Amino acid sequence: IGTGKIGRVFAQIMRGFGCSLLGYDAYPNSEFEAIDSARYVSLPELLSTSDIISLHCPLLPETHHLINENTIAQMKPGVMLINTSRGGLIDTD
């Protein structure tokens, strides 16, 4: 989630491990889609199908508590959530 410079570098690293890449970003970037097998999907699709979800977003009013009780309920059992961004993206309560 978040396909700016850091998100794209992370995607390239994960592609090196053979991962399929799904992206979600309010501002899609053609450089992300240029990575082999990378494609943009809706947030609900990303949440429900991903084994690993990594956050690469700025903390803005629109992204505050992006991950919350509702979005966690949409995730697959056993999903790994990695937050390399700001703590406020996740509602830890």
Side-chain angles (χ1 to χ4, degrees):
I1 299 175
T3 57
K5 185 174 181 179
I6 295 171
R8 288 192 314 273
V9 169
F10 181 79
Q12 290 170 332
I13 291 168
M14 296 308 289
R15 184 67 194 127
F17 286 107
C19 295
S20 297
L21 304 173
L22 302 178
Y24 174 79
D25 198 306
Y27 304 98
N29 186 313
S30 61
E31 291 180 41
F32 172 76
E33 293 179 303
I35 301 169
D36 184 37
S37 84
R39 64 187 178 94
Y40 282 107
V41 296
S42 68
L43 184 57
E45 181 178 350
L46 185 143
L47 295 171
S48 67
T49 60
S50 297
D51 296 309
I52 301 169
I53 299 173
S54 185
L55 304 176
H56 307 275
C57 308
L59 182 57
L60 304 169
E62 301 84 31
T63 61
H64 183 256
H65 290 171
L66 176 67
I67 304 299
N68 53 52
E69 184 176 6
N70 181 47
T71 53
I72 290 172
Q74 296 175 53
M75 295 178 190
K76 291 170 57 171
V79 66
M80 181 182 296
L81 178 63
I82 303 169
N83 183 7
T84 60
S85 297
R86 307 290 184 261
L89 296 176
I90 301 176
D91 181 359
T92 56
D93 289 336

